[in-house]
Amino acid sequence: MVLRKSLLITGIALLMVATLGAQERKGKKDKEKENAETEAPAEPAKPAAKPTGLQWSNRDMTYHGKNYDIMDSAYYPKSRSKQFHRYMEHQEAFPPRPRSMWEAGIGGGLYNVIGNVPTLMLWHKGGGGINVNVRKSLGYIFSMRLQYIYGVAKNLDRQPTTGYDAPYTTFNYTPLQQAATASDADPIYRATRMESSQLNMDLMFNAGNINFHKAKNSMAFFGYFGLGALGYKTRVNALDDKYEQYKFQDIVKDPNGKTKDIRKDLQKGMDKSHETPAQNTGRSTILDKKTLDFAPSIGAGVQFRLSKKFNLQLEDRFVFPVDAFLDGTRFGPMLGNTISTGRSSDAINYFSVGINYNIKSKKCVEPLYWVNPLDHGYNELSYPRHMILPNPVLPDKDEDGVTDQFDKCPKTPAGLPVDAHGCPLDTDGDGVPDYKDKQLITPTECQPVDADGVGNCPCPDGCKEMVNNNTNNNNNGKNPCGNIGAGTLLFPEKSNKINKGMEVQLATLAAQMQANPLCKVVIMGGGSGSKIKEQKSWEHVNAVIEYMSDKNSIGRDRFIFKYGEGGDESIVTYRPANVDEGGDSNVPPPHPNIK
């Protein structure tokens, strides 16, 4: 009974704990949800928008660099297109890495074993090597290269030695360690030939392309670390052409002579057979029983850029296999009457000259170790094409429509019509601006003029009658155009819009025309010699007349429409019409299909 009660109480307690835990978890979730709703913005987050800063409207988009145009999407593979679009939309500051060429090359040079027996250089009838390689850049500094080298190295003693072992001991040569006395040992000159095949994978580094003062380099230095497989086979020239021991005392004329003379005697007196396999480490073999070893290597070199596709290369490689038998022996040169233990491991040196070719498939740049990554940054600073730049604000203190930088008359009174240089108009060119000129059109022969712009010619016979004929009886005997002045309007390149400076001039003209309601004004556009210029001339004149009609309520019939006159098509001039001067105010466009 007690056990049942205990189980019942325990079960109720566990149920209550579970219920309270569930309620606590639910309350916690509700609180987190409430906090999230409180902190969340009223509207869903929008993706990053393209910057809305003002841009230069007529920016020169010509690429001025020497490497490649970063803004050309054809240089990038599909895998990097997302980064390219983000860069172009100013959502990322760094452009993607472009597609680059592979480099393939071939070369040849000096192949030597650095061991216990002195090496023979190529010009001493020694060994040599050839190589082929392919290389791919990983970036602007690092690249990977796979290189195969076939080499033959030759080694020859210049001094006799009595410290040696097989295969000479196999042919009954007596070394010092087996002779009763030093005089009983047979002195020999060891001659070996090592043939090898190497396959190396190199991690190369080159920083010469990152240049702060030049767009491209014509020369690049590089270094590398490599790891490769080395298969070699060494043979010894221990017997003459009759398979008998060499009689070195007959071959070498003077054992104590110059090493050059000893070398020549040996090369002349010994055959070229290298008939006997040398000792080796006994490791696994490949490729015609060559001993297989894996060896690290280091190297350095320089490349000379001949063109975008070709470069010349000089390189020196050192290979360090853990093997003392590359030259066929483990004994070094004699130290008096003492046998030298020699090098613990031999090395290989390969100095080569090669030519490399850059392989192009799709649109791509040179290998990146030739490309200066600063090219884009420097050119963007000098010739901005991608930077967000505000439109330039040019000051115009007198508000005549000509910026102060080009204004030759910076203090022109407000409202006066000006020419392209910002100076008040002087229609007759007499030196007195129109707004001060009491004789607006003074003949050249009547100049110079006085301070009021009046010429020094007397009024000829009939002058007064001409003036009377040029008056309008409906205007109480006065000239219908009164003091309406002439003016010049300069349209910005590739624009038909009336700018602020023009608005000031046209407002003045409108006020004058409203004060002289019987006067007509001639609007003339320059531009002749081509259909494009004539069409532009018509568009500029039409823009002026429409503006006067729409903005200043001057009827279109009060204008005489003229276009295709002499001069620049971006210049429009206006003047009061002569008495009885006629002309249409609505003229159809000459070449409406030309844009």
Side-chain angles (χ1 to χ4, degrees):
M1 187 69 178
V2 175
L3 181 60
R4 291 181 180 177
K5 288 183 178 179
S6 298
L7 291 173
L8 179 60
I9 293 171
T10 303
I12 293 173
L14 291 174
L15 181 62
M16 292 177 64
V17 169
T19 304
L20 290 174
Q23 290 178 351
E24 183 178 355
R25 287 192 296 271
K26 182 179 179 182
K28 188 176 180 180
K29 289 182 179 179
D30 292 340
K31 187 174 181 180
E32 289 176 352
K33 184 177 180 181
E34 181 180 353
N35 291 338
E37 290 175 352
T38 303
E39 295 174 0
E43 296 181 0
K46 297 180 179 179
K50 186 176 180 179
T52 56
L54 295 175
Q55 299 287 306
W56 281 3
S57 56
N58 294 319
R59 194 180 302 195
D60 179 13
M61 297 303 290
T62 305
Y63 170 63
H64 295 276
K66 302 294 183 181
N67 289 283
Y68 75 101
D69 187 356
I70 279 183
M71 299 176 70
D72 186 349
S73 61
Y75 284 108
Y76 307 103
K78 290 183 179 179
S79 59
R80 302 185 196 124
S81 60
K82 184 176 180 180
Q83 182 181 353
F84 173 74
H85 291 303
R86 288 178 60 82
Y87 170 76
M88 293 301 294
E89 293 172 3
H90 298 278
Q91 296 177 359
E92 185 165 336
F94 292 90
R97 177 163 53 90
R99 186 188 297 109
S100 61
M101 301 180 190
W102 285 76
E103 180 187 86
I106 186 170
L110 311 178
Y111 195 85
N112 301 96
V113 168
I114 304 171
N116 299 308
V117 182
T119 186
L120 282 174
M121 302 304 292
L122 185 62
W123 48 87
H124 294 154
K125 301 179 182 179
I130 59 173
N131 67 272
V132 293
N133 52 263
V134 291
R135 182 180 176 187
K136 186 70 173 73
S137 60
L138 304 177
Y140 292 96
I141 296 178
F142 292 102
S143 58
M144 293 294 294
R145 181 179 70 176
L146 183 67
Q147 184 179 61
Y148 170 77
I149 305 171
Y150 173 79
V152 173
K154 293 182 181 180
N155 295 65
L156 178 65
D157 276 328
R158 273 66 157 185
Q159 295 295 329
T161 181
T162 55
Y164 50 87
D165 52 6
Y168 292 97
T169 56
T170 306
F171 302 125
N172 297 321
Y173 289 97
T174 303
L176 180 62
Q177 66 269 25
Q178 295 178 3
T181 62
S183 60
D184 294 332
D186 294 327
I188 66 169
Y189 294 86
R190 294 167 295 184
T192 64
R193 178 185 185 274
M194 192 272 278
E195 177 185 355
S196 72
S197 293
Q198 288 181 244
L199 186 63
N200 301 292
M201 180 64 75
D202 303 320
L203 175 62
M204 309 181 72
F205 52 91
N206 166 38
N209 57 321
I210 303 176
N211 197 318
F212 293 89
H213 305 289
K214 194 176 181 181
K216 296 185 78 69
N217 280 341
S218 57
M219 182 171 63
F221 293 92
F222 63 87
Y224 59 86
F225 301 98
L227 182 64
L230 169 66
Y232 77 92
K233 179 168 62 177
T234 304
R235 301 182 72 86
V236 178
N237 189 358
L239 302 173
D240 62 16
D241 53 1
K242 297 179 181 179
Y243 289 92
E244 296 177 355
Q245 291 183 354
Y246 280 110
K247 297 179 180 179
F248 292 106
Q249 64 274 16
D250 296 335
I251 296 175
V252 178
K253 298 176 182 177
D254 183 6
N256 297 317
K258 294 181 179 180
T259 57
K260 178 178 68 173
D261 296 333
I262 295 173
R263 173 182 56 80
K264 290 181 178 180
D265 289 344
L266 290 169
Q267 288 179 327
K268 184 178 179 180
M270 299 175 71
D271 63 19
K272 310 297 187 295
S273 61
H274 296 91
E275 74 293 329
T276 309
Q279 291 189 82
N280 56 55
T281 59
R283 296 191 180 110
S284 58
T285 59
I286 60 169
L287 300 175
D288 191 25
K289 297 183 179 181
K290 288 184 173 67
T291 300
L292 177 63
D293 199 353
F294 290 92
S297 60
I298 60 173
V302 61
Q303 291 177 301
F304 300 92
R305 188 177 186 273
L306 304 178
S307 68
K308 189 175 181 179
K309 291 292 187 69
F310 290 95
N311 67 81
L312 180 68
Q313 177 175 298
L314 303 179
E315 177 184 346
D316 199 16
R317 177 192 289 270
F318 285 89
V319 186
F320 304 99
V322 185
D323 194 327
F325 291 98
L326 297 183
D327 60 354
T329 181
R330 59 187 175 88
F331 293 117
M334 295 297 294
L335 302 175
N337 289 328
T338 304
I339 300 173
S340 170
T341 56
R343 298 172 59 94
S344 59
S345 61
D346 296 338
I348 298 173
N349 176 241
Y350 179 49
F351 177 82
S352 61
V353 178
I355 188 78
N356 297 316
Y357 174 75
N358 297 330
I359 303 172
K360 180 179 180 181
S361 54
K362 298 181 180 179
K363 190 171 185 179
C364 51
V365 302
E366 293 179 69
L368 294 181
Y369 39 83
W370 285 111
V371 176
N372 188 352
L374 299 178
D375 177 74
H376 171 62
Y378 274 83
N379 280 281
E380 188 66 18
L381 291 174
S382 300
Y383 312 101
R385 299 187 303 149
H386 184 66
M387 285 191 292
I388 300 175
L389 298 171
N391 285 319
V393 179
L394 303 178
D396 181 14
K397 291 183 180 179
D398 55 6
E399 297 184 347
D400 60 358
V402 179
T403 181
D404 292 348
Q405 182 180 0
F406 304 104
D407 199 335
K408 293 184 178 180
C409 301
K411 296 182 179 180
T412 303
L416 290 181
V418 296
D419 58 20
H421 301 292
C423 294
L425 291 179
D426 181 12
T427 304
D428 53 8
D430 59 1
V432 179
D434 290 353
Y435 74 98
K436 294 181 179 180
D437 199 335
K438 294 184 179 180
Q439 188 177 28
L440 192 61
I441 307 297
T442 303
T444 305
E445 60 270 15
C446 297
Q447 298 180 21
V449 297
D450 60 18
D452 294 325
V454 178
N456 56 14
C457 294
C459 185
D461 294 339
C463 171
K464 294 182 179 180
E465 289 76 5
M466 291 175 63
V467 173
N468 291 332
N469 291 335
N470 289 337
T471 59
N472 190 313
N473 294 329
N474 295 328
N475 198 31
N476 297 322
K478 296 180 180 180
N479 189 324
C481 290
N483 61 349
I484 294 179
T488 301
L489 304 171
L490 178 63
F491 279 83
E493 186 179 359
K494 299 180 181 180
S495 174
N496 298 330
K497 295 183 179 180
I498 305 297
N499 60 30
K500 187 175 180 181
M502 296 181 190
E503 291 177 359
V504 174
Q505 288 181 253
L506 295 178
T508 301
L509 176 61
Q512 294 171 348
M513 293 181 71
Q514 289 169 354
N516 299 273
L518 299 179
C519 179
K520 286 189 175 185
V521 172
V522 180
I523 310 295
M524 296 180 296
S528 61
S530 72
K531 294 181 179 180
I532 295 177
K533 290 183 178 182
E534 289 180 355
Q535 180 64 23
K536 277 292 181 187
S537 176
W538 182 92
E539 291 173 357
H540 290 158
V541 173
N542 189 63
V544 172
I545 295 176
E546 286 188 349
Y547 179 86
M548 293 293 287
S549 177
D550 295 341
K551 301 295 182 180
N552 293 307
S553 302
I554 305 296
R556 192 178 182 97
D557 59 348
R558 294 191 58 190
F559 296 98
I560 297 176
F561 196 121
K562 291 187 177 182
Y563 71 91
E565 305 289 329
D568 195 321
E569 66 272 15
S570 61
I571 296 177
V572 173
T573 59
Y574 58 85
R575 62 171 176 80
N578 297 323
V579 177
D580 298 329
E581 183 177 0
D584 294 331
S585 58
N586 286 291
V587 177
H591 312 288
N593 295 325
I594 294 180
K595 298 297 183 183

